[in-house]
Amino acid sequence: MRDTTTMTEEQKALVRSTRRLDLRRILGGLFVLYGVITTIVGIVHWNTDPEKTGGIHINLWVGLSMLVGGLLFFLWDRLNPVPAEDIIGQAEAEEHQKAAGEGRELA
């Protein structure tokens, strides 16, 4: 495991930006946003939902489910972040591959 004290500032910035743009955070944010909107619609239109869906307050239940799903994405990202060594190793591999494609060798 790579020690964060031995990483350069550039590597630390790469790890922070990669983790910030993790797909789990993006999907979690979208699920939470749409869940809040759908839940509000379910509360505001309380009487019209059951008429259209056979007695189920579908907007409320789907909204709450989306909120839970989004929060689970955030929890997953928090409990199991992408390891720094994977991020740095991938960046180094891409740099070597780019250099090889340009016909030069990296040390």
Side-chain angles (χ1 to χ4, degrees):
M1 184 168 191
R2 190 178 295 261
D3 186 14
T4 56
T5 58
T6 61
M7 292 190 325
T8 65
E9 287 302 316
E10 182 179 317
Q11 289 173 331
K12 288 179 184 179
L14 175 67
V15 169
R16 278 192 306 271
S17 68
T18 302
R19 286 183 178 163
R20 188 177 307 124
L21 294 174
D22 191 341
L23 190 59
R24 294 174 289 186
R25 286 186 181 192
I26 296 169
L27 290 175
L30 286 173
F31 270 100
V32 167
L33 175 68
Y34 292 142
V36 167
I37 292 169
T38 308
T39 302
I40 290 171
V41 169
I43 293 170
V44 171
H45 297 289
W46 182 260
N47 293 331
T48 58
D49 279 349
E51 295 170 3
K52 297 177 183 177
T53 60
I56 300 170
H57 295 282
I58 194 72
N59 283 333
L60 180 64
W61 286 108
V62 169
L64 292 173
S65 299
M66 290 175 77
L67 280 171
V68 169
L71 293 174
L72 286 174
F73 271 105
F74 284 132
L75 181 66
W76 179 23
D77 179 53
R78 184 71 165 165
L79 295 178
N80 191 13
V82 178
E85 57 269 2
D86 288 354
I87 296 169
I88 295 169
Q90 180 66 30
E92 290 171 352
E94 288 174 3
E95 186 63 33
H96 282 287
Q97 187 177 17
K98 182 180 173 184
E102 294 174 354
R104 60 186 174 90
E105 197 62 37
L106 285 179

